């Protein structure tokens, strides 16, 4: 087996693995972001209750909601401190304190890299057919 055959074999393997794994990973990353819902950003405040510290925020209709302040973003905050909160439009009582922009980002990035390797390997395989 010479170098030409070895490179052809490797490009075929990389194109199959890259495309067959990369495209589903990218789609999974998009679906994680899409199925997560529409998060709305607002300002919350830390308050002290008998059960411990909570985060309180207003939804888009003016109703007040609260959740336990047990995230790593809220650990060092004192009552009265502001914190950025994201809540779901369809369920405003559910909140998070970290940005939803990163949901599925690792899957999307890995999928794009593998798809790029697969496409590049497929192009290399076609070019090697003519040499």
């Amino acid at each position: 087996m010479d170098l030409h055959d070895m490179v052809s074999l490797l490009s075929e393997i990389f194109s199959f693995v890259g495309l067959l794994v990369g495209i589903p990973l990218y789609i999974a990353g998009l679906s994680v972001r899409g199925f997560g819902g529409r998060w709305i950003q607002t300002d919350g405040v830390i308050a002290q209750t008998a059960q411990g510290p909570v985060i309180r925020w207003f939804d888009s209709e003016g109703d007040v909601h609260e959740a336990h302040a047990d995230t790593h973003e809220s650990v060092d905050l004192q009552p009265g401190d502001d914190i950025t909160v994201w809540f779901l439009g369809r369920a405003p009582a559910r909140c998070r304190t970290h940005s939803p922009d990163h949901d599925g980002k690792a899957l999307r990035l890995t999928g794009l890299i593998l798809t790029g390797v697969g496409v590049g390997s497929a192009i290399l395989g076609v070019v090697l057919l003519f040499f």
Side-chain angles (χ1 to χ4, degrees), residues 105-120:
K105 189 173 188 176
L107 290 173
R108 289 191 314 268
L109 181 62
T110 305
L112 279 177
I113 290 171
L114 287 174
T115 302
V117 168
V119 168

Side-chain angles (χ1 to χ4, degrees), residues 60-126:
S60 54
E61 296 178 2
D63 295 330
V64 178
H65 300 279
E66 74 177 27
H68 292 288
D70 53 4
T71 62
H72 69 275
E73 290 91 0
S74 64
V75 167
D76 297 328
L77 298 178
Q78 301 300 319
D81 289 345
D82 292 335
I83 186 169
T84 303
V85 176
W86 287 266
F87 67 91
L88 283 173
R90 66 177 185 263
R94 184 173 168 211
C95 81
R96 65 195 294 176
T97 57
H98 57 281
S99 175
D101 295 336
H102 301 295
D103 291 350
K105 189 173 188 176
L107 290 173
R108 289 191 314 268
L109 181 62
T110 305
L112 279 177
I113 290 171
L114 287 174
T115 302
V117 168
V119 168
S121 296
I123 292 171
L124 178 63
V126 170

Side-chain angles (χ1 to χ4, degrees), residues 49-64:
T49 63
Q51 291 82 22
V54 295
I55 302 171
R56 291 185 178 146
W57 69 94
F58 290 105
D59 65 8
S60 54
E61 296 178 2
D63 295 330
V64 178

